[in-house]
Amino acid sequence: MKPKICSHAGTKFPLFLLFFASFSILSAQDAVISGEFIVEPPTLLNLGFEWKITGDENRNAEVEVSYRKMGSSEWLPGMPLLRIGGEKIFREAEQLEYTVPHQFAGSILDLEPGTTYACRFELSDPDGVSGTSIKEVEVKTRTVPKAYEQGRTLHVYPPGFKGEKIQPAFEGLKKAYYGSGLGDWSVVSEKTVQPGDVILVHAGTYKADLLDYVDPHGIPFDGTYLLNVKASEEKPIVIRGAGDGAAIFDGNGAHRLFDVMGTQHHIFENLTFRNTDIVFSAGTKGVVGASNLTIRNCRMEEVGLGLISEFAGSRDFYIADNVILGRDPRNHLVGWANPDPYPPSPLKSYMGIKVYGSGHVICHNAVAFFHDGINVSTYGTPEESQGLKAVSIDIYNNDLHLMVDDFIEADGGVHNIRIMRNRGVNSGQCALSAQPVIGGPAYFIRNVVYHIPNGFALKFMSKPAGLVVYHNTIIAENRNSQTFSNAHFRNNLFMGTNVSGRPVNAFPFATAYSTSDYNGYRPNPDTENHFLYLGPADNKVYDYELNSGDVQRFSSLEALHAASGLEANGVILDYTVFNELTAPDPEDPHGIYHAEDLNFTLNPTGKAVDKGTVIPNINDHYTGKAPDLGALETGDTPPVYGPRGLEDRNWYR
C-alpha cells in the first residue's frame, strides 16, 4: 500500500515524512544551540560572563558554573547563569522599547584581587544541545591601581606660599600638570606631566578668583581644571595630598571643578573638594569619557555631584573610601513627591556618584544629603557594541544616609550589575532601584535598608528584567505593583513598619518564570491584605498588559501560595528576629535615624535563623542547619560599611 500524499504549494510529500520533519523542527526549537561566549571586564572581586544561545523556546536549558583558584585542585560551585531573553522593557514617554536577546549571563562573586581563576560552564538541555556544551576559561581579577615607583615627584603649593618648598615646586596644579601660563596663555601646555609622575599637593586651599584674568591658578572665568593626559596602567598619573595637612580644592562656586573626560589612568587621592556643582565630570554620552579613573580616600563637601560619567566607553573606574556630602537638608527627611508638610525637595544636590560603561568598582564610600546616592546612568537602549554596554559594575559596602529619592540605582545597567552589602538609612521615596535593568542579572545581595516612609523599598519600575534579590534586610514595605520580568527572590526579610492598611510586599510578575521563596515577612497590624500579586494567567509565559486593576490581594502566605505557587517556604515573623531593632516611627515620617544607633544583627533564637535555602557562592559558609534570612548571618561580624579605617563612624554629623 502506497503512503498517502499531501499536496502543498505544488509540491507533494508523504504524510509520514511531513510528520517527522515537523517533529524535528519542534525539537530543534526546544533544543538549545550554543553561540558566542563572552568574558566581561573583570573587577577586583567579581567576574561576569555571557553565553549567547538560540533555540530553547521552552526555557529549560541550564548552565552550571564551577570555578577554582589556579594552583588549587578544589572546584567550587557557583550560581547557575541566569537564563534571559524575550523579556520586554519599555517606557512610552521616552519611546524606549527593547527586547532582551536570548542568552545566559551571570557572575562569580567575592574572589581575591589580582588572582587567576579557572572557570567552567556546562550547558545542558533535556531537549538536546547543539554546538559547544562546555566552556572553560582562565580569568584574572584586577588589582587596586597604584603609583609607578620610579616616576618623578612634582610638588604643588598654593599661590603665595611663603614657606620652604621641596623642588621641583610649582604654584598651583596647572603649572605642574601643563606648565601653562595665565590668561590667554592658560591653554598652552608645552611641558605636560608625564605618565608615571606623582604630583604631591601640599597643604592649603586652592581657590581661584574666577573674575581675575591673570589668577595664578590659571583657571579664570569657568573655574574648571581641564585635564586630558593619557597615561597607562603601569605608569598612571597620581595627584595626591602630600600629607602635611588638608589639601583643599575650593571651586568658588564653579559649575565643574575637574573635567577629566579626556584622561586615562589617573589617580586622585587624599584630597578635599568643596563648593562646586560637579567635582569630577568624567564623561558625556555619545561624546567622550575617561577610563581607568581612580578616586580614593578623598572628601567632597557642599557639592552638587561627586562624580559623573555617562559615556558608554568609560571603563574600570575605582571609586573607593571617599566621603561625599551634598547640600540637601541635614535635619529632616523629605522627598520630591508627597512631601507634606514640607515643599518638594529642590535639586540642590543631584547624586553622589553616577556612571555608565563597564568594569567599574564603587566601594566603601560614605554618601549623604543628595537626591540619589550611587547610580548607574539611565542610558536607554544599550549600544550594539559589546564594549559599550553597561556590564560588570560593582557597588558594594557603601554607607548611605539621607537621600531624597533612592540610595542606589541600577537603572540602565545591562548585565552583571552587582549591588552588595550596602547600608542605607533614611530615603524619602525608595531604597534600591532598577528603573529599568535591561536584561540582567542585576544582583541585590545582603543590603540593609531602613526608614523609607513612602513604602516603596524596591523601585523596580519601567519594566526591568533580570533581577536577583537575595539575603537583604528591608525595614520598609515593598508595595510597588508595576510589573517586572525574570525576577527571583530568596532569603530576604521584608519588615512592615506599623503603617495600618499597608501591604508588606507585592509580587508584580510579568513573566511566569519569576520566582519567590524562603523569604520572611512581618505584616503590618490592622491590615486586611498583606500581599499583592500579579502574574500571567491562562498558561501565558509573558503578560505585559497587567496593571493595577489586575492585582490580587491576600491576607496570608498560605492564600498567596495557593493562588500563585510562590512562597511555599515563606515565613511570618516579627521584630523579635533581631537582637534589639524596632521599626521606625510611622507617626514621624520625616524623622532622621542614624545607622550607628541601629543593630541589624539577628537574635540567635529568632524565627529568621535556619529558615533560608542554600545558594552556591552566596551563603556557602552558613552556620547551623540552613542559612539565615536577611543580610547578616548569625554570629558573623557585620561588614564594614563606608570608608575603611575611618575613625569617626558618624561621618556625616
Side-chain angles (χ1 to χ4, degrees):
M1 180 178 176
K2 293 182 179 181
K4 294 183 179 180
I5 302 296
C6 174
S7 177
H8 178 69
T11 304
K12 296 182 178 180
F13 294 97
L15 280 178
F16 75 93
L17 292 179
L18 184 64
F19 169 79
F20 283 114
S22 300
F23 179 79
S24 298
I25 292 171
L26 179 61
S27 298
Q29 290 172 337
D30 283 340
V32 66
I33 304 169
S34 70
E36 181 185 11
F37 188 86
I38 296 170
V39 179
E40 296 176 353
T43 63
L44 300 179
L45 303 182
N46 304 316
L47 301 175
F49 306 91
E50 303 171 35
W51 198 342
K52 309 289 186 182
I53 62 165
T54 53
D56 189 36
E57 291 193 2
N58 58 1
R59 302 186 72 95
N60 65 347
E62 297 179 344
V63 174
E64 291 188 3
V65 178
S66 57
Y67 64 98
R68 64 179 175 86
K69 187 176 177 178
M70 293 303 290
S72 170
S73 60
E74 182 183 10
W75 286 90
L76 301 172
M79 281 185 293
L81 297 187
L82 182 66
R83 170 69 164 93
I84 64 177
E87 298 87 16
K88 299 183 185 300
I89 293 119
F90 55 91
R91 185 172 162 107
E92 294 179 359
E94 287 79 19
Q95 304 176 70
L96 171 66
E97 187 172 346
Y98 180 81
T99 301
V100 178
H102 289 279
Q103 64 182 78
F104 287 86
S107 296
I108 301 175
L109 304 176
D110 288 324
L111 304 173
E112 298 177 21
T115 304
T116 301
Y117 289 86
C119 307
R120 189 176 191 274
F121 306 86
E122 184 170 358
L123 175 64
S124 63
D125 190 327
D127 306 299
V129 178
S130 295
T132 301
S133 63
I134 295 177
K135 292 282 187 179
E136 291 192 12
V137 294
E138 293 182 8
V139 190
K140 187 176 182 179
T141 53
R142 289 209 326 261
T143 56
V144 174
K146 63 180 182 179
Y148 179 58
E149 292 183 359
Q150 283 75 47
R152 298 183 302 169
T153 299
L154 313 178
H155 295 269
V156 170
Y157 295 88
F161 179 80
K162 302 300 183 184
E164 184 178 350
K165 297 179 181 179
I166 305 172
Q167 299 298 326
F170 303 85
E171 262 201 358
L173 177 61
K174 279 196 69 180
K175 273 286 187 181
Y177 193 90
Y178 285 125
S180 58
L182 308 179
D184 294 343
W185 293 88
S186 65
V187 298
V188 174
S189 50
E190 300 295 318
K191 193 175 181 181
T192 301
V193 68
Q194 298 299 307
D197 286 352
V198 175
I199 299 176
L200 291 184
V201 183
H202 287 268
T205 298
Y206 297 78
K207 181 178 181 180
D209 182 350
L210 308 189
L211 303 181
D212 183 356
Y213 174 63
V214 290
D215 181 86
H217 291 89
I219 51 168
F221 193 66
D222 64 358
T224 301
Y225 291 91
L226 178 60
L227 310 182
N228 59 18
V229 175
K230 294 169 177 59
S232 67
E233 181 179 3
E234 181 187 6
K235 297 181 178 181
I237 291 170
V238 179
I239 302 174
R240 175 192 299 155
D244 52 2
I248 302 170
F249 287 93
D250 189 314
N252 198 16
H255 179 57
R256 294 185 303 174
L257 186 50
F258 281 86
D259 184 332
V260 294
M261 295 188 201
T263 64
Q264 294 178 3
H265 293 281
H266 275 47
I267 299 173
F268 294 82
E269 57 189 9
N270 304 331
L271 299 166
T272 296
F273 308 91
R274 67 188 186 201
N275 196 15
T276 184
D277 289 334
I278 302 173
V279 181
F280 289 97
S281 183
T284 297
K285 181 177 179 179
V287 182
V288 70
S291 67
N292 300 92
L293 174 64
T294 294
I295 303 168
R296 64 184 173 207
N297 297 311
C298 290
R299 182 177 180 88
M300 309 178 199
E301 53 192 23
E302 292 295 323
V303 301
L305 203 157
L307 173 139
I308 183 169
S309 176
E310 297 185 284
F311 183 64
S314 286
R315 178 168 168 171
D316 295 349
F317 288 8
Y318 179 58
I319 314 300
D321 298 288
N322 304 289
V323 174
I324 307 175
L325 304 177
R327 303 179 291 210
D328 278 2
R330 267 68 167 155
N331 299 319
H332 66 268
L333 174 64
V334 61
W336 55 267
N338 309 315
D340 290 339
Y342 299 97
S345 178
L347 200 60
K348 294 179 181 179
S349 289
Y350 194 4
M351 60 199 71
I353 300 167
K354 185 175 188 178
V355 298
Y356 198 77
S358 60
H360 302 313
V361 176
I362 304 169
C363 67
H364 287 284
N365 299 284
V367 184
F369 315 130
F370 287 90
H371 181 83
D372 289 331
I374 301 171
N375 291 11
V376 178
S377 173
T378 311
Y379 191 90
T381 298
E383 304 285 348
E384 296 261 339
S385 169
Q386 177 68 23
L388 299 179
K389 289 182 169 64
V391 302
S392 194
I393 297 176
D394 294 349
I395 303 173
Y396 60 84
N397 287 88
N398 299 284
D399 204 9
L400 302 118
H401 172 80
L402 196 54
M403 302 297 158
V404 170
D405 191 20
D406 303 311
F407 296 125
I408 299 174
E409 293 186 353
D411 307 11
V414 184
H415 306 305
N416 291 304
I417 311 301
R418 299 171 288 238
I419 298 172
M420 308 187 301
R421 298 185 298 274
N422 301 284
R423 179 174 66 179
V425 177
N426 311 304
S427 182
Q429 300 299 139
C430 306
L432 305 173
S433 175
Q435 188 177 327
V437 161
I438 304 181
Y443 295 102
F444 296 86
I445 298 174
R446 295 196 185 278
N447 301 288
V448 171
V449 298
Y450 186 92
H451 189 41
I452 299 88
N454 202 32
F456 290 87
L458 304 181
K459 189 167 73 177
F460 292 175
M461 301 176 183
S462 300
K463 305 297 186 287
L467 309 173
V468 176
V469 185
Y470 293 161
H471 275 294
N472 299 281
T473 295
I474 296 174
I475 315 299
E477 293 78 18
N478 179 41
R479 59 193 181 111
N480 162 52
S481 60
Q482 294 188 33
T483 58
F484 45 86
S485 302
N486 198 9
H488 307 277
F489 296 78
R490 296 289 186 279
N491 298 358
N492 302 287
L493 286 174
F494 293 98
M495 310 296 288
T497 57
N498 298 320
V499 181
S500 298
R502 181 181 287 180
V504 67
N505 202 62
F507 307 85
F509 294 160
T511 47
Y513 48 87
S514 294
T515 64
S516 185
D517 201 2
Y518 291 94
N519 300 291
Y521 303 93
R522 192 273 186 174
N524 284 319
D526 302 319
T527 300
E528 181 179 357
N529 294 308
H530 302 298
F531 304 100
L532 310 179
Y533 172 72
L534 293 88
D538 302 323
N539 297 317
K540 291 182 179 179
V541 177
Y542 313 92
D543 191 345
Y544 292 99
E545 303 301 320
L546 292 167
N547 56 51
S548 58
D550 300 309
V551 170
Q552 300 178 55
R553 295 171 171 82
F554 302 98
S555 60
S556 67
L557 278 177
E558 291 77 11
L560 169 71
H561 174 68
S564 66
L566 303 176
E567 292 299 343
N569 299 282
V571 294
I572 299 295
L573 34 70
D574 58 28
Y575 279 92
T576 60
V577 299
F578 299 108
N579 280 315
E580 49 181 291
L581 187 70
T582 58
D585 183 359
E587 301 300 320
D588 187 18
H590 302 284
I592 302 299
Y593 297 86
H594 302 287
E596 290 301 305
D597 299 336
L598 303 171
N599 182 354
F600 297 100
T601 60
L602 293 179
N603 179 347
T605 64
K607 288 185 65 175
V609 172
D610 295 348
K611 291 299 191 295
T613 187
V614 175
I615 307 170
N617 198 205
I618 299 295
N619 54 24
D620 304 298
H621 304 295
Y622 69 88
T623 57
K625 299 177 181 178
D628 300 339
L629 304 183
L632 305 177
E633 179 79 9
T634 303
D636 283 359
T637 301
V640 175
Y641 302 108
R644 291 160 286 195
L646 190 67
E647 292 183 5
D648 184 6
R649 301 314 303 180
N650 295 309
W651 46 270
Y652 52 83
R653 288 185 176 176

